């Protein structure tokens, strides 16, 4: 018998399969959007916990994640612009920040109260694509830091995630520099 | 939260759903061929749903690739999604190979090419579903952002256990069939 022509028994059995197919489709689509919504919620909560302002790269650049070089307050947020406090010459390591591609960690060198060098101690380099993206992005970010003399730097297209970690590590290095200098002067 | 973030969340969710569908479809095929699921549900019911799940797996794999390409932060090129290579890391390359294998397994059924293929060739191509699911697991473990989440690890472990369980049932079925004495004339 040609198996393309269903028997009457097969026809009567089509109902359950149709219902199961519909159920699996609805379940899969619901799971996709449900999981995406959960991820979005978790991401928002993490951003709030880390104090990351979504509007950080707005035109005014007034984000809360340290868009200006500041000295640390007891709560970890900075309050005094670096320009008001001379920073002792030296190299200050920032904290390591992990993103989905890997770890980013910087060290900032001050000379005469100015940032003269930003060394990248760690960056995502587990594959050639990451290496290629970061070889393009990291020099641009360093040039931006030297020009701005702060963590107030714009993102680089195609390297937004590395930029976020870069800025966070940079800010922690600036905070470390300010704290060390305050300790010396105090 | 920018649109890029939503593409990223959808990349993760479509990937997870595609992996779950792949394992379910594979398990359905094993259940169907091992003839161990009783007679309440007819063979055509199992086969029809198995084909449907296979088609859905491929659809979600394609959706997973499309949204990961749309996510600018991932900076994936089209060539990265169709040519497996170390250029973007083998964690993604394994996923690309798995996607091609799923296409090889599913498309002949959808396009009704199966009947034109010799039975041995069809079986060989169809068995590529097993390495495809294994590569999907490797891709998930290496590239999955959520692999550090306990809930994800639990779900992933359950899927692996389910796949191994159904594969064992299928292999046991093969063993018992080969030991069956020949029917007397």
């Amino acid at each position: 018998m040609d198996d393309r022509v269903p028997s009457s028994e097969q026809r009567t059995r089509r109902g359950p399969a149709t219902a199961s197919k519909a159920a699996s489709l609805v379940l899969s689509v619901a799971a996709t959007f449900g999981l995406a919504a959960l991820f979005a919620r978790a991401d928002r909560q993490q951003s709030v916990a880390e104090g990351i302002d979504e509007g950080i790269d707005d035109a005014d650049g007034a984000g809360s994640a340290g868009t200006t070089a500041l000295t640390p307050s007891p709560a970890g947020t900075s309050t005094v612009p670096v320009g008001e406090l001379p920073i002792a010459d030296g190299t200050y390591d920032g904290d390591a920040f992990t993103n989905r591609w890997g770890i980013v960690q910087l060290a900032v060198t001050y000379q005469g109260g100015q940032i003269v060098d930003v060394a990248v101690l760690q960056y995502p380099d587990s594959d050639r694509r990451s290496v290629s993206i970061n070889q393009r992005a990291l020099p641009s970010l360093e040039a931006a830091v030297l020009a701005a003399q702060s963590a107030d730097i714009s993102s680089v297209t195609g390297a937004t995630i590395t930029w976020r970690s870069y800025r966070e590590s940079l800010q922690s290095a600036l905070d470390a520099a300010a704290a060390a200098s305050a300790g010396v002067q105090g | 939260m920018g649109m890029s973030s939503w593409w990223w969340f959808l990349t993760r969710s479509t990937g997870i759903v595609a992996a779950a569908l792949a394992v379910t479809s594979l398990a359905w095929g094993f259940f169907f061929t091992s003839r161990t699921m009783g007679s309440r549900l007819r063979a055509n019911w199992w086969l029809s749903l198995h084909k449907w799940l296979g088609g859905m797996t491929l659809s979600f794999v394609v959706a997973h690739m499309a949204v990961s390409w749309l996510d600018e932060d991932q900076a994936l090129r089209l060539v990265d999604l169709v040519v497996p290579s170390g250029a973007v890391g083998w964690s993604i390359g394994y996923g690309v190979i798995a996607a091609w294998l799923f296409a090889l397994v599913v498309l002949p059924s959808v396009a009704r090419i199966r009947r034109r293929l010799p039975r041995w060739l069809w079986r060989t191509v169809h068995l590529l579903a097993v390495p495809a699911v294994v590569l999907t697991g490797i891709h998930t473990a290496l590239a999955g952002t959520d692999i550090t989440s306990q809930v994800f690890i639990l779900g992933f472990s359950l899927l692996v256990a389910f796949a191994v369980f159904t594969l064992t049932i299928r292999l046991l079925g093969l063993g018992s069939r080969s030991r069956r004495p020949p029917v007397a004339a």
Side-chain angles (χ1 to χ4, degrees), chain B residues 15-38:
Chain B
I16 291 169
V17 172
L21 281 168
V23 172
T24 311
S25 178
L26 186 75
W28 234 250
F30 285 147
F31 281 144
F32 170 65
T33 51
S34 60
R35 310 279 197 272
T36 52
M37 300 311 292

Side-chain angles (χ1 to χ4, degrees), chain A residues 69-70 82-83 85-92 107-117 149-150 170 173-178 181:
Chain A
L70 305 166
V82 160
L85 199 71
I87 302 293
D89 289 355
T91 300
Y92 304 92
V108 176
T109 302
Y110 272 93
Q111 208 166 38
Q114 298 285 309
I115 300 171
V116 293
D117 186 40
Q149 289 293 307
S150 73
L170 174 65
L174 298 181
D175 287 347
S181 302

Side-chain angles (χ1 to χ4, degrees), chain A residues 9 16-17 21 24 32 129 160, chain B residues 13 42 45 48 52 60 73 75 87:
Chain A
E9 189 176 20
K21 287 174 187 175
S24 63
T32 299
R129 185 80 179 143
T160 313
Chain B
S13 62
R42 298 282 172 172
W45 188 91
S48 180
W52 173 260
F60 273 81
D73 284 346

